[in-house]
Amino acid sequence: MNKDILTPYFTDEYTLERLSSLTNFVYKVSSQTKTLIYRDYSSIFHIFQDREKEVKFQQRLSELNLAPRILYSDNQQRLEEYLPYESVELYELRRDYLQVAKLLGEFHKLNSHQEITEIFEKKASIKVSLTQIGLQDKILEIIQNKAPQKVVDQLRSVFSNEIQSRILKLFESECLKELDLVIAHNDLNLTNFLKNKGQLHLIDFEYAGLNYPGYEIANFFSEMEWDYTFKEYPYFKISKEQGLSEDEKIKFVQTYWETYSGKDQVPQALWEQIQIGYILQNYFWLLIGALSYQFEEQQIDLEYYIKLRIQGLNQNI
């Protein structure tokens, strides 16, 4: 942390509190008169992140009162407003899942704002991420001497020509061409929701970009089964029982589509995108898990996490 950037904002003593975050270092900086959020960027996931676009996007969102104002930013860190909202428990997201559907529908309508869409490449962000030339070789090179050999071998299996061909083939699916891309958050895990007076809000937009709406919905459905606030080893918990039922998923999609499009009939293409999204999001977070071996201290049991992501990939592909 570079404490020099805090000096202009704090004239009295302050304390630092590390907040939950899986892919960067986030601190609550508090004094008797002021509280701010400090983000210390990690370069570990630079393959999939663009901090300049992230900052521009959050600045646009703050103008719409959808995100905190950024007070200072450079290529290593940023300082932003602190929103005195509360963290959310997984049971609350499950209880209020239709509120999430409406929140997502409204968020996706941001694709009507040209000043926002022009920030991002006019392609699906998950396609851009997963079709990078030499991606698998880059990842293996990065983690070769950091991850256990067992994990490296598992990745080599996932990177086989057969599995990679199947994944690339998914991007040729007609359903991905039938619906407009939306402004997507792309990381709808529990820790990226806050609540204020009963209303849910999204935070942390480091993976945001244009994407398939079905991918975003599949990501939320999947993340409803993962609890990253679990205090005991392996420091996360996964259970299909804590996720949404099939009937609830149908109601979620119907509510989302009505909010987003104003129409009652959910297009078949969206249902098909969701099925593809299960595969792509498991593969993406598997890669993020592998890259996380670069951290000196892992926040979760990465070997177990990667094993589960591979199981999820194999079950759906």
Side-chain angles (χ1 to χ4, degrees), residues 83-118:
L83 301 179
Y85 297 169
E86 301 175 74
S87 59
V88 178
E89 300 289 339
L90 197 59
Y91 79 88
E92 294 176 292
L93 274 191
R94 194 184 193 292
R95 181 193 65 199
D96 299 330
Y97 73 99
L98 292 182
Q99 186 185 150
V100 177
K102 294 176 183 178
L103 175 65
L104 210 56
E106 294 293 343
F107 190 79
H108 285 181
K109 286 197 281 189
L110 291 173
N111 63 358
S112 65
H113 293 249
Q114 182 179 351
E115 70 277 13
I116 291 180
T117 57
E118 66 185 9

Side-chain angles (χ1 to χ4, degrees), residues 15 57 89 101 119 129 133-134 181 185 221 286:
T15 59
F57 182 55
E89 300 289 339
I119 295 172
S129 292
I133 296 175
L181 299 177
H185 183 281
F221 287 169
L286 158 65

